[in-house]
Amino acid sequence: QVQLVESGGGLVQPGGSLRLSCAASRTILSINAMGWYRQAPGKERELVASFTTGRVTYADSVKGRFTISKDNAKNTVYLQMNSLKPEDTAVYYCNANIWGIDYWGEGTLVTVSS
């Protein structure tokens, strides 16, 4: 099991940047996959970026603008979001998959608006 706590969301103008953090309650070294998903109003939850064994995956809509990273010593995964657009507005969720079981944080709201 793992508990995940997201932080770093907020209101930002188009073109701005935010960094989201996801703090895990245990070491992330042995977690099969971790990543960020988002859910916009009226839409399904979608993958934004993820680490799996030996691979990093990004949604096409965020490639070149978002970067996922992690600090194993702090048990934390980050999502650096640059050149934000209004369509990036959503609740962003941290995810960990441990032996086929998904764990989710409560989410953090990102609003991109002028």
Side-chain angles (χ1 to χ4, degrees):
Q1 284 189 336
V2 63
Q3 283 76 49
L4 304 170
V5 179
E6 302 99 335
S7 61
L11 173 64
V12 64
Q13 292 187 342
S17 298
L18 282 175
R19 188 177 80 156
L20 305 183
S21 299
C22 170
S25 61
R26 49 160 279 184
T27 179
I28 62 175
L29 284 171
S30 58
I31 295 179
N32 306 80
M34 290 194 71
W36 291 92
Y37 288 70
R38 68 185 180 187
Q39 187 166 18
K43 295 188 177 181
E44 293 187 354
R45 193 172 297 188
E46 63 175 359
L47 172 69
V48 177
S50 69
F51 287 111
T52 56
T53 303
R55 186 171 71 176
V56 178
T57 300
Y58 292 97
D60 287 343
S61 59
V62 307
K63 283 180 181 176
R65 300 188 298 122
F66 291 10
T67 303
I68 189 171
S69 63
K70 57 183 176 176
D71 186 331
N72 291 328
K74 296 182 178 180
N75 298 327
T76 300
V77 177
Y78 303 98
L79 184 68
Q80 178 67 44
M81 305 186 295
N82 299 328
S83 302
L84 282 160
K85 305 175 180 180
E87 52 263 42
D88 295 318
T89 295
V91 178
Y92 284 70
Y93 297 92
C94 184
N95 168 269
N97 184 280
I98 303 174
W99 298 112
I101 299 173
D102 281 316
Y103 298 88
W104 298 93
E106 294 292 318
T108 185
L109 177 63
V110 172
T111 302
V112 184
S113 176
S114 55

